[in-house]
Amino acid sequence: MARQPDALREYVPGSTREFLAAPLRGQTYRNLLYLALAFPLGMAYFLGLVIGGSFGLALLITWIGLPILLGTLAATTTVASFEASLASRLVGTDAAVPSSVSGFSARDRIAFPGDGFVTSVAELLTSPVIWTSVALVLSKFVFGIVSFSLLVTAVSLSVALLGAPLLYDASSVTVGLVGPSAAGEYSTGPLVVDTLPEALVVAAFGVVVTLVALNALNAVAKLQAAYTMSILRVGAGRADDGRSDASART
């Protein structure tokens, strides 16, 4: 139990100064970029895996289907290696990409028919690196949706609150909490802000919301990067164990 605060310290600000400095650190905006890329990349990975897997399975009765299916599965290791590099460069994770992932080559694993082909395919399909990479691709799609939702919500709320002093006296804008609006007006709620002092109070609250949001998004980015590295290390560790066992048997 004593280790729990140490584990959490990696994801939460260690001091008030660190909490307040979030908007001033370049790392914050690299984390935001990492979260912003999660949705389009996750969508692309997911579609590639689904389309390639579907075509491969549908054509499995022919020789065309098997290369498509194996190529799709092997491509996930390239995606996993890219994701690990992205997490390292943008979020700054200290872990290196496991060599069993970065150095994985499906071409070296597959023999031609009649030359140990079935055995090589079986080894490829039972490789832990393949399946941890597939798990990463699928989870990246989920992470992408969550990241996009959190990012859009945090940015829109912060901008709406911080912009109150500039918008409170505009004829077509009403600033407040979520609620009904008058005809021809955009309203964020029934608590209408129509004086400068009220707008300044809303903006001050917006500063607090922005600080909390940025620190929360920093934590989410770190958690996603840590997950990426940890799941790949699991596959890499099992792959290394498998090679050790095979060496011992020979």
Side-chain angles (χ1 to χ4, degrees), residues 1 25 67-68 79-80 94-95 101 145 157 171 184 207 237 243:
M1 297 298 293
R25 294 199 304 267
I68 293 176
V79 169
D94 294 332
V101 177
I145 295 175
L157 182 59
S171 58
V207 171
R243 286 195 293 269

Side-chain angles (χ1 to χ4, degrees), residues 37-165:
L37 290 174
F39 180 70
L41 290 177
M43 179 68 74
Y45 300 156
F46 181 77
L47 290 177
L49 182 61
V50 170
I51 293 173
S54 299
F55 270 102
L57 290 173
L59 299 174
L60 201 56
I61 58 175
T62 69
W63 278 108
I64 299 176
L66 186 58
I68 293 176
L69 184 60
L70 296 177
T72 300
L73 291 176
T76 61
T77 62
T78 302
V79 169
S81 181
F82 171 74
E83 276 296 316
S85 299
L86 195 66
S88 178
R89 292 180 181 180
L90 291 182
V91 185
T93 53
D94 294 332
V97 180
S99 59
S100 58
V101 177
S102 60
F104 187 91
S105 174
R107 182 181 300 177
D108 296 338
R109 298 290 186 99
I110 298 297
F112 288 102
D115 188 23
F117 177 71
V118 174
T119 301
S120 64
V121 169
E123 290 179 352
L124 179 70
L125 294 179
T126 55
S127 172
V129 173
I130 285 285
W131 298 112
T132 52
S133 297
V134 169
L136 177 61
V137 168
L138 294 176
S139 58
K140 186 68 177 183
F141 176 66
V142 178
F143 279 144
I145 295 175
V146 173
S147 298
F148 180 77
S149 301
L150 292 176
L151 196 59
V152 170
T153 301
V155 170
S156 59
L157 182 59
S158 298
V159 170
L161 294 174
L162 292 173

